[in-house]
Amino acid sequence: MTEIKPHAAHWGSFDAVVKDGRLVGVRPFARDPFPGSLIEAMPDIVHAACRVDRPYVRKGWLEGRRRGHLRGGDAFVPVSWDRAVRLVAEETRRVRAEHGPASIFGGSYGWSSAGRFHHARSQLQRFLGLGGGYTGQINAYSYAAAQALLPHVLGTNEVLLGRVTDWAAIIRHAKVMLCLGGLPLRNGLVCSGGAGEHANEIHLRRAAEAGLRFVQVSPNRADVPDWCGAEWIPIRPGTDTALLLAMAHVIVTEGREDRAFLASHCVGWDRLRAYVLGQGDGTPKSPEWAAPITTIPAARIRALALELAAVPAMLTATWSLQRADFGEQPYWMLAALAAILGLIGKPGQGVAYGYGSVNGMGNPRQEVPSFSMPATRNPTGAFIPVARITDMLENPGGAYHFNGRECRYPDTRIIWWAGGNPFHHHQDLNRLLRAWANAETIIAQEQHWNALARHADIVLPATTTLERNDIASSGRDRFLRAMHKAIEPVGQARNDHDMLADIAEELGFRDRFTEQRNEEAWLRHLFEQWRRHCAERGFETPDFDSFWEAGFWEAPPPARGQEYTQFSEFRADPEANPLDTATGKVELFSETVASFGYDDAPGHPVWIEPREWLGARQAERFPLHLLSFQPATRLHGQLDPGRVAATDKIAGREPITLNPEDAAARGLKPGDIVRVFNERGACLGGLRTDPGLMRGVAMMATGAWFDPLEPGVPGSLCVHGNPNVLTPDVGTSRLGQGPSAQSCLVEVEKWTEALPPVRAHLPPRIEEAPA
Ligand SMILES: Nc1nc2c(c(=O)[nH]1)N[C@H]1C(S)=C(S)[C@@H](COP(=O)(O)OP(=O)(O)OC[C@H]3O[C@@H](n4cnc5c(=O)[nH]c(N)nc54)[C@H](O)[C@@H]3O)O[C@H]1N2
Ligand SMILES: Nc1nc2c(c(=O)[nH]1)N[C@H]1C(S)=C(S)[C@@H](COP(=O)(O)OP(=O)(O)OC[C@H]3O[C@@H](n4cnc5c(=O)[nH]c(N)nc54)[C@H](O)[C@@H]3O)O[C@H]1N2
Ligand SMILES: [Mo]
């Protein structure tokens, strides 16, 4: 018998087709105009050979090889759920008593699932918070540098997270859109909390039809779809700040700055202006200065600056620009340029970040409340900046700076992860592997034997969303979607909520954790809360049963002609509607940031040479700039064992793209297997070439599961193609402490030895329990 169940994921909404208890197919949500192909991988993922079928404990951990032991190479031993729950509870109790709650690292960064009740990280943090506390992580890998910076400059992170100036306003009023990093459609395939409607392509097509001119500044022409007719200006990665400073130089020297706006709405223009003109350091930031840095001809920089001064313009940048050395600077300078041109708050103009980074950015929609699990308090209040995990593990008690604060790292004894994968997302995995050894116990709630599970001590098998009921919701999407349970849990997998409830019981707080609700009671409870919030804002919503039966609820579309421009009220009256910055104005110079005394993030935007870029001395040895971008064929590491990712690989290895001339200079041709390497590590990749990729740049998507030739040995070749064995692990600056994966130099050579098998999608070595 075939059953059809409405369901949703970060990568789209669909009907699950179930036969004889197995997921056999998917059908895209009928209301989604551009569903994309990622959902097609679902049956492979749910029934993958590498599902964790029952609880396991690392054999070495049971035998006492804990702190100081390199993880990744040991066999695992199956245990019963009862035993696993007891081991975890005992360990949690012991470590809290001996070392205090902050020695449990429960930051658990990661995307988890689209379902908002079973959201694994929220469940784990609720459990750890109610149980006495933990050390968390602040900000996101996506845009940590920006999250620290933008409140100082614009008083808000809405320019990053939404609500941003919407496409309706841009299309109506702007004539040109400057897109640093382009507007890649592949990144619009996903959205945290799931997409009901993939909207980016709708808006881009409308904009192109309306004649909006796109100027794409990026190393990769494919970052904007052809049919946008964008002008492509190639730029060396990591040098956008120099370009923007030079554009400011042109605008000032031509007297085209908006003096009235700078005087009434901004502070610090005198300081930034002096820097642009080179009055303090003797270096005018002219187009002639920026040309050799960026490789953009000075005349082109001058023309671009004058065009933006002449026609209504919207400025944007992809999030990846700030996941780089001193990544705060291009973001600050882009906001400064928008201010110098007087664009901020003008209808359909200004600056916002990420129109090309995720689905639904700039989606015209009514502000409907999102459906979510309420956050719980962490009684320790302890956290680290999101990407400082290796530093934390290496330096218990060590001091560091972050956004004006002096902080100390905790002494971590337990690492506990649910819904994220540090062996996917973190940089310099060989360094992480060494630091990871400093933990006594590593607990992973996972669905698959991915690199996190393989590097854990206690592995608790989690259900996928298809094995439970939930509700998907995103602040960037018009649809609330029911996720019906489609199949029974695979093997002994359990819901994160249920396994944590059992551990809470051992520790004496089950009822506080569950509030005596089961799954259905929770969903009804959260739904009623959401309905109340909707009612307060005047939205009519169905009751739970009608919603569940229908499978989705659609927020009413915005009225025709309705459009939204961010900062329009501030522009109209900056005294009555000040920004939430220290001065209430746009800060081109920030006294607050300057007072921190950071030379890697001073009081106004500056050009600082990245540690790794094509202009650096190391480029002699490692002459290719590696951009490890978001994959078109999966979400991060999720979906990697599925058919969509598989068809893109070359002999099972992750593709790496070079300019044909760079390939030829190395004697390489498309389809070759290559070794990509630098001082931090090496991986294999399958070669592709593209004349639309700038010379000197290599592109390799993230997400191929880490597969070291010798598991547990730092520096071992990743035979599958995970670029994070190559990327540097250093904070963007003391201000943001964000990840800086995009500042990475490598070299590529032909792989001439026998091709080692990819084992990433098979379970690890499993042994029976020791007597
Ligand atoms: N080099 C480089 N590295 C990067 C980036 C880059 O651009 N370059 N980008 C960074 C960015 S922006 C991000 S956001 C991160 C993404 O990093 P992550 O969010 O950590 O990546 P995911 O692979 O989505 O990890 C989610 C994990 O949760 C598991 N999971 C899903 N649902 C459930 C569930 O219900 N229960 C449990 N227990 N587990 C579940 C999945 O199996 C998966 O292993 O990567 C970062 N890393
Ligand atoms: N299909 C799919 N979509 C995704 C994700 C996924 O895993 N899969 N992940 C989601 C997540 S978590 C996030 S945070 C977003 C991230 O969204 P982004 O950070 O915007 O994504 P990236 O793919 O890293 O980069 C976008 C483009 O920026 C360009 N670029 C890189 N460096 C530079 C530079 O120095 N200067 C200029 N001018 N351009 C540069 C590159 O050519 C690249 O193609 O994507 C989201 N969307
Ligand atoms: Mo992200």
Side-chain angles (χ1 to χ4, degrees):
M1 201 187 69
T2 305
E3 286 178 288
I4 305 291
K5 302 276 187 178
H7 212 77
H10 296 301
W11 41 90
S13 302
F14 56 92
D15 281 338
V17 183
V18 178
K19 209 171 168 195
D20 304 327
R22 284 178 73 89
L23 179 70
V24 294
V26 294
R27 295 178 193 156
F29 180 45
R31 301 296 303 278
D32 189 346
F34 295 103
S37 62
L38 295 182
I39 52 175
E40 288 162 21
M42 293 305 296
D44 309 331
I45 297 306
V46 168
H47 300 292
C50 56
R51 279 295 297 269
V52 184
D53 60 345
R54 51 180 302 181
Y56 288 91
V57 181
R58 183 172 64 82
K59 192 173 172 209
W61 186 87
L62 287 172
E63 293 166 354
R65 287 194 300 281
R66 300 188 182 183
R67 200 167 223 203
H69 183 78
L70 285 164
R71 309 310 204 271
D74 292 16
F76 284 87
V77 171
V79 297
S80 68
W81 261 114
D82 275 356
R83 177 140 186 242
V85 163
R86 247 181 300 115
L87 286 174
V88 170
E90 279 164 17
E91 198 49 12
T92 307
R93 189 185 292 117
R94 178 189 71 81
V95 165
R96 276 220 180 92
E98 289 176 12
H99 305 284
S103 61
I104 301 180
F105 181 68
S108 195
Y109 178 81
W111 267 49
S112 307
S113 69
R116 301 287 92 170
F117 166 63
H118 286 294
H119 190 260
R121 184 194 200 198
S122 306
Q123 289 288 345
L124 175 59
Q125 294 194 336
R126 176 180 169 80
F127 164 86
L128 291 173
L130 292 173
Y134 61 99
T135 293
Q137 275 163 301
I138 192 170
N139 293 341
Y141 271 80
S142 320
Y143 32 56
Q147 282 177 294
L149 170 80
L150 291 170
H152 296 297
V153 176
L154 293 166
T156 178
N157 272 323
E158 290 271 293
V159 276
L160 187 66
L161 308 172
R163 194 181 185 194
V164 294
T165 298
D166 68 22
W167 279 102
I170 296 171
I171 291 170
R172 180 123 88 108
H173 301 283
K175 289 280 173 274
V176 58
M177 188 160 179
L178 174 67
C179 308
L180 304 180
L183 298 165
L185 278 182
R186 62 158 200 279
N187 288 3
L189 291 171
V190 311
C191 161
S192 181
E197 175 184 65
H198 284 90
N200 289 18
E201 186 162 349
I202 307 178
H203 302 309
L204 266 193
R205 288 197 179 268
R206 281 196 190 138
E209 278 162 27
L212 179 66
R213 187 170 117 75
F214 294 97
V215 179
Q216 173 203 357
V217 176
S218 92
N220 183 15
R221 188 205 297 249
D223 283 337
V224 177
D226 288 346
W227 42 260
C228 280
E231 180 188 357
W232 177 42
I233 302 178
I235 186 170
R236 255 190 189 162
T239 67
D240 300 76
T241 309
L243 166 69
L244 298 168
L245 283 165
M247 288 168 68
H249 187 274
V250 173
I251 289 161
V252 180
T253 51
E254 297 282 334
R256 303 295 299 272
E257 72 273 31
D258 187 336
R259 292 197 191 133
F261 184 79
L262 286 164
S264 54
H265 289 73
C266 307
V267 296
W269 173 227
D270 51 332
R271 303 290 290 267
L272 179 57
R273 185 174 181 277
Y275 174 74
V276 166
L277 295 175
Q279 286 167 353
D281 59 4
T283 306
K285 310 302 174 301
S286 64
E288 288 69 26
W289 165 81
I293 299 174
T294 59
T295 69
I296 304 176
R300 189 69 203 84
I301 298 176
R302 183 163 285 112
L304 181 60
L306 293 176
E307 178 183 358
L308 293 185
V311 294
M314 183 74 205
L315 313 184
T316 190
T318 52
W319 293 338
S320 59
L321 261 78
Q322 51 81 66
R323 293 200 300 283
D325 279 354
F326 319 115
E328 296 81 7
Q329 301 308 318
Y331 267 40
W332 198 346
M333 195 54 214
L334 192 66
L337 187 67
I340 295 166
L341 292 166
L343 304 175
I344 294 174
K346 269 194 194 162
Q349 300 181 60
V351 62
Y353 307 88
Y355 287 102
S357 295
V358 81
N359 182 57
M361 258 312 202
N363 220 359
R365 62 181 287 274
Q366 303 213 33
E367 288 296 284
V368 181
S370 303
F371 176 96
S372 64
M373 188 74 185
T376 22
R377 207 176 71 85
N378 176 8
T380 69
F383 64 83
I384 59 165
V386 69
R388 299 276 52 84
I389 175 168
T390 298
D391 285 356
M392 171 189 82
L393 294 170
E394 284 176 350
N395 300 301
Y400 66 97
H401 294 268
F402 172 50
N403 202 0
R405 275 174 282 200
E406 239 189 277
C407 315
R408 279 191 186 279
Y409 290 119
D411 178 5
T412 304
R413 302 293 166 138
I414 291 181
I415 300 173
W416 197 331
W417 232 289
N421 179 358
F423 282 88
H424 159 76
H425 64 232
H426 196 57
Q427 284 59 63
D428 199 347
L429 291 181
N430 288 308
R431 197 179 140 208
L432 175 65
L433 179 63
R434 279 186 223 102
W436 196 250
N438 292 338
E440 292 177 13
T441 299
I442 299 155
I443 304 164
Q445 301 171 208
E446 249 300 339
Q447 303 161 338
H448 294 101
W449 280 112
N450 60 12
L452 168 69
R454 287 166 192 268
H455 291 84
D457 298 327
I458 303 177
V459 183
L460 305 175
T463 50
T464 68
T465 62
L466 275 304
E467 295 147 58
R468 61 205 191 203
N469 294 298
D470 212 335
I471 294 176
S473 168
S474 158
R476 299 196 176 98
D477 190 83
R478 292 195 296 125
F479 293 88
L480 187 78
R481 284 139 297 130
M483 299 166 68
H484 288 205
K485 176 174 171 178
I487 58 170
E488 287 307 312
V490 169
Q492 296 180 22
R494 299 189 64 201
N495 299 337
D496 297 284
H497 178 78
D498 298 331
M499 60 178 97
L500 291 168
D502 281 3
I503 302 166
E505 174 154 340
E506 285 283 319
L507 294 169
F509 64 99
R510 174 190 273 274
D511 284 355
R512 277 197 296 133
F513 178 70
T514 63
E515 298 183 9
Q516 294 181 299
R517 291 190 192 96
N518 62 12
E519 177 188 74
E520 183 179 345
W522 268 107
L523 289 177
R524 287 179 182 276
H525 167 71
L526 295 173
F527 189 86
E528 285 316 314
Q529 275 186 354
W530 172 79
R531 272 193 98 189
R532 264 202 309 283
H533 294 148
C534 286
E536 284 160 17
R537 304 220 195 145
F539 291 105
E540 259 184 64
T541 50
D543 62 40
F544 180 85
D545 293 305
S546 318
F547 160 75
W548 195 254
E549 170 74 30
F552 69 93
W553 175 77
E554 180 184 7
R560 269 201 161 273
Q562 186 183 314
E563 50 191 50
Y564 174 73
T565 294
Q566 203 170 14
F567 301 122
S568 56
E569 289 160 3
F570 164 66
R571 181 169 191 108
D573 187 345
E575 309 305 326
N577 308 304
L579 299 183
D580 203 12
T581 56
T583 55
K585 308 246 168 122
V586 178
E587 303 217 345
L588 307 180
F589 179 91
S590 161
E591 293 287 353
T592 311
V593 173
S595 75
F596 300 157
Y598 300 153
D599 56 1
D600 53 2
H604 60 74
V606 292
W607 163 250
I608 313 174
E609 266 196 42
R611 284 162 280 237
E612 291 186 33
W613 69 300
L614 290 171
R617 182 137 354 108
Q618 307 101 293
E620 287 164 21
R621 281 178 62 209
F622 301 111
L624 295 168
H625 191 125
L626 179 74
L627 295 177
S628 43
F629 63 103
Q630 304 293 345
T633 60
R634 49 188 180 242
L635 171 70
H636 317 133
Q638 298 191 57
L639 308 181
D640 188 51
R643 65 190 73 175
V644 184
T647 51
D648 190 53
K649 291 183 189 176
I650 296 171
R653 322 294 141 151
E654 190 60 23
I656 177 167
T657 305
L658 295 183
N659 180 286
E661 291 179 42
D662 285 326
R666 291 166 177 77
L668 301 172
K669 55 179 191 323
D672 281 351
I673 298 300
V674 294
R675 178 174 165 268
V676 192
F677 63 98
N678 61 19
E679 279 166 333
R680 288 175 291 266
C683 68
L684 297 184
L687 188 75
R688 261 189 205 142
T689 59
D690 180 355
L693 180 62
M694 213 178 151
R695 275 208 74 171
V697 179
M699 295 202 57
M700 190 174 201
T702 60
W705 287 7
F706 176 52
D707 193 356
L709 191 57
E710 288 178 273
V713 178
S716 178
L717 175 79
C718 172
V719 303
H720 190 195
N722 185 317
N724 274 327
V725 298
L726 302 159
T727 51
D729 174 14
V730 45
T732 50
S733 75
R734 281 169 284 179
L735 182 67
Q737 291 288 11
S740 42
Q742 305 307 344
S743 299
C744 179
L745 293 173
V746 299
E747 179 54 300
V748 171
E749 65 181 15
K750 191 164 172 145
W751 177 258
T752 49
E753 294 169 39
L755 201 51
V758 173
R759 292 169 301 186
H761 299 152
L762 299 171
R765 200 152 46 86
I766 287 170
E767 289 180 11
E768 279 315 304

